[in-house]
Amino acid sequence: MTSETQPAVDLDEGTALLVEPSAMPRRERILKTLLHSRELSIAIALLVVIAAATIKSPDFVFSATGWRNLLLTPAMMLLLAVGQAVVIITRNVDLSVGSVLGLSAWLTGELFIAHPGIPWIVGFGAGLLAGAVLGLVNGVLVGYGKVPALVITLGTLYIFRGIVLTWAGSSIISASQMPDGFLNLGTAQILTIPVLFIIAMIIVVAVGYFLQTARSGRELYAIGSDPDAAVLYGLPVRRRVIGAFVLSGALAGLAGVVYAARYGTVSSDAGTGIELQAVAAAVVGGVAIFGGSGTVWGASIGAVLLVTINSALPMVGISDFWQQALVGALIIAAIILDRVLAARQARKLIEARDEQ
Amino acid sequence: MPNPHSAAMLQLNDVSKSFGPVVALRSVNLEAHAGSIHALVGENGAGKSTLVKIVAGVHRRDGGDFVLDGQPQDFGSTAESKTAGVAVIYQEPTLFPDLSVTENIFMGRQILGRGRRIDKAAMYAEAERLFAGLGVHIDPRRPALGLSIADQQIIEIAKAISLDAKVLIMDEPTAALSGVEVERLFTVARQLRDEGRAVVFISHRFDEVFALCDTVTVMRDGSYIATRPIAETRIGEIVNLMVGREVADLFPKQETEVGDVVLDVAGLTSPGVFHDVSFSVRRGEIVGLAGLVGAGRSEIARAVFGVDRYAAGTVTMKGRPVPTASPHAAIRSGMAFIPEDRRQQGLVTDGSVAENIAAVIRQHLTKGGLLTRAAENKAVTPWASRLEVKTSSLDAPARTMSGGNQQKVVIAKWLASEPDLLIIDEPTRGIDVGTKSEVHRLLSELAGQGMAILMISSELPEVLGMADRVLVVCEGRLTAELSRDEATPERVMHAATASQEMAS
């Protein structure tokens, strides 16, 4: 019962933040929320990884190449993780992003071969659009098929990859076939910050801002939190879920263009297996695998962490096997941590109810 | 007091609804006025929930008129009914646990500020204002996770007010509330009435209906029975209208020889679920376990059968103690348990009839560790024919059968283990009327052959018609033990709502 108007004085600070956040002064509330946030702890983990690698080999950060790679390598994964986070928040998953990336990268390459003179921006538009169309296919199948997204997108993972394989065969699009202006983007920097990283960050901020402040963004959380309740609330569940898949597809398509610009060569297996890293990045970043909570900020820090670990561990002298195992342990730890924290939070909230 | 001249806010005339061959509503009338609290009562299965779902836009009616505030309506979705001004507060509200209380109130129609961005500050202030208006204190920033059911209902009511709902339907809102919480809900309901909204209140508890409402409509078997002003009626009349038939005719109960005690339960306690439950069941006797939904009857049965643990007390079968939390030991001691949800818990729906019936006795059918289809069919045939299970062959999958026949297969499964005690939870739920009496006849015969039967039922006529003795459970405690002659609808209902009356 909470019928009496009284501040919860006998609650400890953590519980007070949960049960009576409005009783705290605004600044204290914001500070406490930040300190308790998953984003902060994962960011600290990222800084520790970077610091460890830098102590071992200062070039990891303090060299032109090291600095550029530190920011450039995660750009592609950032885009995938943001799209994946939006889909997972709705209690779905998109396993087809690796194949969408491959298809979009190949399409971009073919486009530049067929029309050598077109400006590079057209390549970006084409990749984005192709990805959005493939995402729409996923969304419509999930929205109308009444089959779990896991199964649908596992199917489209193979179908989309099949299309790339048929189209590309064993041939490779090489750097010499793509316009220089496009390839320069892969290495171009503004104030030492790679352009591709800037593009990825603009997307992260835009999607994050949309999820926090738009009605449709908040509805994605509601749908993931309790899909049945969302129907009873009269929310346009199907349309929102389709929208989330279109966004995920479009960002995977954009990631395909980034892939082409960054590596310069595209073959039919571009992006194979990358979808699981995207899911891992979102989960490590605090997006609950059963939907309803998490942020794209967390997912993007998770993406940078996973990518950076892969390049940092060899610096510290850890073998390939242990790299993979460490990433796996990180994912399991993140999920267990989620469960434990959620259970503890639920227990605190219920206990607080009895105390009043 | 309601204004008798006010126009009907919600008007249903001759509304009907069927789900396939099952008729849920035959013909229902309901007229709820602005500034009034209208009670809707009826037994479980009378069609109240279906009616609520039609008004809420979950189901579409098949026939009849539906007028809301003078406008004919035909809702195809919950969004439409919401827009038209209908709000439903369910017994267990469905909120988004991960989101804040404020977001739960405004989801889908958040207050927008500059550039169509959500204005959080305005929403918190508005939620604060709504809660203050309702006289409750809930922090608008806290998550919905961990709120008590009473507070969750308050969130739903706050949502209804912010939508400016004209009609509020409360579907058994008090079933899970404590005495203080019920009082708070009543205060809020009266406030809503005085603001000129029409409130429809569904409850099984007559004391609440008489304390809160000004008019009452009775439903039975999907039909409208009567509407009475509360001031001009009394509990006895309402109960008669609800039950409405001579129960003796419907239930061909055989007279039986009552023998030795088979099951003896003493002081069974599970904190928060049931307390100090003691009773016995004798050979040849049908004992009915009556009470409201959620009173703890099924939980008691599950504890006796060893599905759930209990903290204190003993269960004794034929003089021997039955160990706790072991269904296997319970089966060996001679118990059989037929759960309420037979599709999920009692039947392998993809398995054949023979496989299902043989499920419990399979261990005895194996030869050298191998089980043959022939051995199974041979062992099963007498049981299936005895129950007149109508399927083309024993190989037909159980899911293709009607509810009544499925129930008989589940019963046959347990009879094949030749139990001394049969515990059966809601034996006829979801079964059509014709097959119901077959199941009743079967239970009566089994008792006649000397089996002890513990029957849980929410249908008052079934309990009164079938049971030799009636035990009434209210909020986890046995509140009455009535012999067949003593058991009248009034006495059972009174005992089933007993502690509520003591509290208020």
Side-chain angles (χ1 to χ4, degrees):
Chain A
M1 285 291 292
T2 50
S3 50
E4 273 76 47
T5 312
Q6 59 179 24
V9 278
D10 51 345
L11 302 171
D12 70 70
E13 287 195 334
T15 314
L17 181 69
L18 289 173
V19 182
E20 288 284 344
S22 301
M24 288 183 187
R26 180 181 153 84
R27 188 173 297 171
E28 188 187 346
R29 184 174 66 231
I30 292 171
L31 186 70
K32 285 243 165 78
T33 311
L34 185 69
L35 285 178
H36 281 93
S37 72
R38 176 68 163 276
E39 288 79 0
L40 187 70
S41 47
I42 191 96
I44 291 171
L46 174 61
L47 291 179
V48 168
V49 167
I50 294 174
T54 311
I55 290 168
K56 204 78 171 161
S57 146
D59 282 352
F60 190 69
V61 172
F62 301 110
S63 71
T65 336
W67 174 248
R68 198 190 66 195
N69 284 340
L70 186 67
L71 297 180
L72 193 55
T73 321
M76 199 168 69
M77 187 54 70
L78 271 172
L79 294 172
L80 294 178
V82 166
Q84 195 65 251
V86 172
V87 172
I88 293 179
I89 281 169
T90 66
R91 205 181 277 192
N92 285 292
V93 71
D94 186 352
L95 292 183
S96 71
V97 289
S99 301
V100 173
L101 184 151
L103 190 52
S104 152
W106 188 263
L107 177 91
T108 311
E110 288 282 345
L111 191 71
F112 283 128
I113 293 170
H115 308 279
I118 58 169
W120 58 267
I121 192 82
V122 176
F124 276 81
L128 197 74
L129 192 69
V133 170
L134 298 178
L136 183 68
V137 172
N138 280 330
V140 168
L141 287 175
V142 171
Y144 288 88
K146 304 225 180 285
V147 180
L150 185 79
V151 181
I152 296 279
T153 57
L154 189 61
T156 52
L157 179 157
Y158 287 106
I159 295 172
F160 297 160
R161 181 64 66 187
I163 296 172
V164 190
L165 282 169
T166 314
W167 189 2
S170 56
S171 55
I172 290 175
I173 295 174
S174 63
S176 60
Q177 293 168 289
M178 282 191 259
D180 289 341
F182 180 67
L183 290 177
N184 286 342
L185 269 180
T187 47
Q189 284 159 297
I190 297 173
L191 296 174
T192 78
I193 299 173
V195 173
L196 294 182
F197 181 75
I198 294 175
I199 293 175
M201 283 318 290
I202 289 172
I203 300 274
V204 169
V205 170
V207 175
Y209 184 69
F210 155 77
L211 280 185
Q212 297 300 319
T213 63
R215 277 186 184 172
S216 42
R218 299 312 297 170
E219 286 172 9
L220 296 176
Y221 282 91
I223 290 164
S225 188
D226 189 337
D228 297 332
V231 174
L232 281 179
Y233 266 67
L235 302 183
V237 175
R238 186 179 285 158
R239 209 164 63 205
R240 293 286 172 265
V241 169
I242 291 175
F245 275 100
V246 169
L247 181 70
S248 169
L251 292 185
L254 195 60
V257 186
V258 170
Y259 181 101
R262 163 111 168 88
Y263 297 110
T265 52
V266 182
S267 68
S268 62
D269 66 349
T272 304
I274 205 168
E275 58 279 338
L276 294 182
Q277 286 185 55
V279 175
V283 170
V284 168
V287 178
I289 195 76
F290 295 115
S293 75
T295 60
V296 297
W297 320 124
S300 49
I301 303 172
V304 178
L305 177 66
L306 284 192
V307 171
T308 308
I309 278 185
N310 278 332
S311 51
L313 290 184
M315 297 273 181
V316 196
I318 294 176
S319 73
D320 266 0
F321 168 78
W322 286 109
Q323 288 173 40
Q324 298 283 331
L326 196 70
V327 171
L330 203 62
I331 296 167
I332 294 174
I335 291 179
I336 292 175
L337 189 70
D338 267 348
R339 288 278 120 205
V340 171
L341 289 181
R344 205 175 68 155
Q345 181 164 340
R347 204 189 63 232
K348 275 187 174 177
L349 283 164
I350 288 168
E351 279 173 1
R353 187 167 93 200
D354 285 343
E355 281 167 22
Q356 291 187 7
Chain B
M1 283 308 289
N3 177 2
H5 303 294
S6 63
M9 189 63 92
L10 171 70
Q11 207 169 1
L12 299 169
N13 268 322
D14 200 20
V15 168
S16 60
K17 173 77 193 173
S18 301
F19 298 97
V22 181
V23 178
L25 293 180
R26 274 172 234 286
S27 162
V28 176
N29 306 320
L30 181 68
E31 202 173 288
H33 291 259
S36 126
I37 303 180
H38 194 113
L40 185 61
V41 298
E43 289 181 277
N44 291 320
K48 294 169 303 204
S49 296
T50 310
L51 188 70
V52 170
K53 284 181 177 161
I54 286 174
V55 178
V58 178
H59 298 320
R60 238 192 180 112
R61 68 185 191 279
D62 296 337
D65 301 319
F66 175 9
V67 179
L68 186 76
D69 201 13
Q71 301 289 320
Q73 299 286 2
D74 185 22
F75 299 139
S77 72
T78 48
E80 284 176 39
S81 90
K82 216 163 263 190
T83 317
V86 176
V88 182
I89 287 104
Y90 295 98
Q91 185 180 334
E92 291 193 10
T94 43
L95 299 178
F96 303 114
D98 301 302
L99 304 184
S100 76
V101 160
T102 303
E103 288 210 87
N104 268 285
I105 296 177
F106 295 104
M107 182 52 68
R109 47 188 190 85
Q110 291 95 334
I111 301 171
L112 298 179
R114 233 155 22 97
R116 289 188 55 75
R117 298 296 94 194
I118 291 173
D119 187 345
K120 279 196 179 148
M123 273 165 48
Y124 288 132
E126 178 65 12
E128 200 94 67
R129 202 185 60 75
L130 286 168
F131 289 141
L134 289 169
V136 297
H137 175 72
I138 299 173
D139 194 308
R141 285 185 175 82
R142 66 159 290 164
L145 182 75
L147 282 176
S148 69
I149 297 229
D151 283 343
Q152 292 182 35
Q153 288 173 345
I154 293 292
I155 308 293
E156 291 278 2
I157 292 171
K159 195 170 83 187
I161 296 174
S162 81
L163 272 163
D164 200 22
K166 290 176 276 194
V167 176
L168 267 100
I169 302 174
M170 302 189 183
D171 191 356
E172 294 194 43
T174 57
L177 303 195
S178 71
V180 191
E181 291 169 329
V182 169
E183 271 314 307
R184 185 180 67 170
L185 182 72
F186 280 13
T187 312
V188 169
R190 291 191 182 104
Q191 187 185 331
L192 298 171
R193 173 194 68 193
D194 296 341
E195 288 169 8
R197 306 175 205 273
V199 179
V200 177
F201 181 80
I202 298 175
S203 177
H204 273 110
R205 296 175 177 168
F206 294 115
D207 54 325
E208 293 178 357
V209 168
F210 278 78
L212 181 67
C213 307
D214 37 57
T215 322
V216 56
T217 290
V218 182
M219 286 175 68
R220 186 207 316 147
D221 296 338
S223 299
Y224 169 85
I225 300 300
T227 299
R228 299 269 189 279
I230 285 287
E232 296 166 23
T233 186
R234 49 189 183 79
I235 292 184
E237 185 191 13
I238 302 294
V239 171
N240 281 341
L241 289 169
M242 269 171 63
V243 179
R245 61 202 142 184
E246 284 303 315
V247 288
D249 308 341
L250 275 168
F251 300 93
K253 176 74 176 73
Q254 298 184 3
E255 286 304 314
T256 55
E257 281 288 308
V258 174
D260 305 335
V261 170
V262 175
L263 171 75
D264 191 53
V265 175
L268 209 62
T269 298
S270 174
V273 187
F274 49 83
H275 307 275
D276 196 22
V277 173
S278 304
F279 63 91
S280 62
V281 187
R282 292 164 175 274
R283 205 168 283 286
E285 186 184 40
I286 301 181
V287 173
L289 209 51
L292 303 175
V293 172
R297 297 165 305 167
S298 303
E299 288 75 6
I300 294 171
R302 286 167 61 88
V304 168
F305 191 65
V307 181
D308 298 338
R309 292 183 173 278
Y310 46 87
T314 55
V315 176
T316 317
M317 273 292 285
K318 296 179 287 181
R320 287 190 183 178
V322 181
T324 174
S326 167
H328 187 67
I331 293 173
R332 261 201 322 216
S333 76
M335 284 192 215
F337 178 52
I338 301 176
E340 178 183 352
D341 187 349
R342 56 181 167 273
R343 289 192 79 99
Q344 277 187 18
Q345 298 175 10
L347 203 63
V348 181
T349 47
D350 287 330
S352 74
V353 171
E355 281 165 0
N356 269 293
I357 297 180
V360 183
I361 53 165
R362 199 161 280 157
Q363 281 188 341
H364 309 297
L365 299 180
T366 52
K367 273 204 185 102
L370 295 175
L371 181 70
T372 60
R373 180 63 55 84
E376 229 176 35
N377 280 345
K378 193 173 147 217
V380 152
T381 312
W383 298 107
S385 63
R386 191 170 144 197
L387 297 182
E388 296 163 8
V389 175
K390 295 189 193 80
T391 54
S392 41
S393 89
L394 290 173
D395 295 330
R399 79 184 121 76
T400 60
M401 296 161 48
S402 73
N405 276 322
Q406 283 185 357
Q407 181 69 313
K408 287 203 256 178
V409 168
V410 178
I411 296 175
K413 172 177 107 174
W414 285 106
L415 294 186
S417 74
E418 302 186 25
D420 299 300
L421 171 75
L422 178 68
I423 306 174
I424 186 160
D425 195 352
E426 302 287 2
T428 59
R429 170 155 299 174
I431 294 179
D432 56 282
V433 182
T435 328
K436 264 186 186 177
S437 60
E438 275 185 59
V439 172
H440 289 143
R441 194 169 44 77
L442 174 67
L443 290 178
S444 184
E445 266 176 38
L446 291 171
Q449 289 157 13
M451 194 181 284
I453 297 178
L454 180 63
M455 179 184 79
I456 301 172
S457 175
S458 298
E459 290 188 38
L460 205 45
E462 185 170 272
V463 173
L464 299 179
M466 293 296 299
D468 295 298
R469 261 188 311 139
V470 180
L471 305 171
V472 188
V473 184
C474 176
E475 295 178 1
R477 292 174 195 280
L478 284 184
T479 48
E481 178 169 350
L482 306 165
S483 71
R484 188 170 173 82
D485 300 329
E486 292 169 333
T488 60
E490 288 85 354
R491 293 182 77 155
V492 174
M493 272 305 191
H494 192 264
T497 57
S499 72
Q500 272 302 311
E501 280 168 19
M502 279 187 277
S504 59

